[in-house]
Amino acid sequence: MPVDRQRMRPWLEEQINSAKIQGLQWVNKEEKIFQIPWMHAARHGWDLDKDAPLFMNWAVHTGKYHPGVDKPDPKTWKANFRCAMNSLPDIEEVKDKSMKRGSNAFRVYRMLSSAEKAAKKVLHRFKKEHTTRNKEKKSRDKENCT
């Protein structure tokens, strides 16, 4: 039976607006730019309660983790969260603003408007068609050379 749950973007907006998770905040609310604390678990001083609450909350929300029943698995929670973020067509990482190393590591993301999302989809389709045409051309050229 499918889990009845909120989609990731609105859920994430609620988490940011609640200000309950330290470091999860709007960088620019008008432009929908936000940052997520992203400390590497191998770092000295890493703490489950301080460094993984967003990932744990997502695992609970999706039904992948049941506190008090399941063993905590922050590595898996973070991987699942990252994969879910990367699959969203309306959220993109602002890589040049992210700081992925150090004790205050974070990633910066931007929520796209519906117009930006549509433009991104068209661009993706164009790139895919262009790549396919190039592969077909190279294949034909290779056949003609032999």
Side-chain angles (χ1 to χ4, degrees):
M1 179 176 208
V3 177
D4 185 29
R5 66 176 192 231
Q6 193 174 25
R7 297 190 59 83
M8 189 175 205
R9 180 174 169 160
W11 177 87
L12 190 55
E13 285 186 83
E14 282 182 9
Q15 296 294 306
I16 299 167
N17 290 331
S18 75
K20 291 180 181 174
I21 297 174
Q22 184 179 351
L24 178 64
Q25 61 196 23
W26 292 110
V27 173
N28 183 325
K29 192 169 184 175
E30 294 76 36
E31 293 183 24
K32 296 283 191 178
I33 299 173
F34 62 98
Q35 76 178 31
I36 297 174
W38 209 274
M39 186 164 160
H40 195 283
R43 290 282 302 173
H44 179 70
W46 191 88
D47 178 16
L48 178 71
D49 296 325
K50 185 177 143 268
D51 298 312
L54 179 65
F55 312 127
M56 182 186 75
N57 289 355
W58 180 246
V60 169
H61 180 70
T62 59
K64 304 281 185 192
Y65 175 63
H66 302 90
V69 176
D70 300 325
K71 182 181 175 198
D73 188 2
K75 184 178 178 180
T76 300
W77 301 338
K78 189 174 184 180
N80 289 345
F81 183 87
R82 185 186 65 249
C83 289
M85 287 290 286
N86 289 339
S87 71
L88 293 174
D90 58 346
I91 294 182
E92 65 183 15
E93 185 176 357
V94 184
K95 294 184 181 195
D96 61 327
K97 302 280 189 212
S98 296
M99 186 174 79
K100 296 183 182 178
R101 300 189 190 279
S103 58
N104 292 319
F106 59 87
R107 288 191 180 191
V108 176
Y109 289 89
R110 185 169 72 94
M111 296 179 179
L112 305 176
S113 68
S114 53
E116 289 171 315
K117 178 183 165 188
K120 185 177 175 184
K121 189 175 183 179
V122 168
L123 181 62
H124 177 73
R125 190 177 305 131
F126 173 78
K127 284 181 178 179
K128 187 175 180 181
E129 289 171 1
H130 185 71
T131 302
T132 302
R133 281 195 302 263
N134 281 345
K135 285 180 182 177
E136 290 170 354
K137 184 179 182 303
K138 285 180 184 177
S139 178
R140 281 194 310 271
D141 289 348
K142 193 174 185 180
E143 288 173 8
N144 292 337
C145 289
T146 55

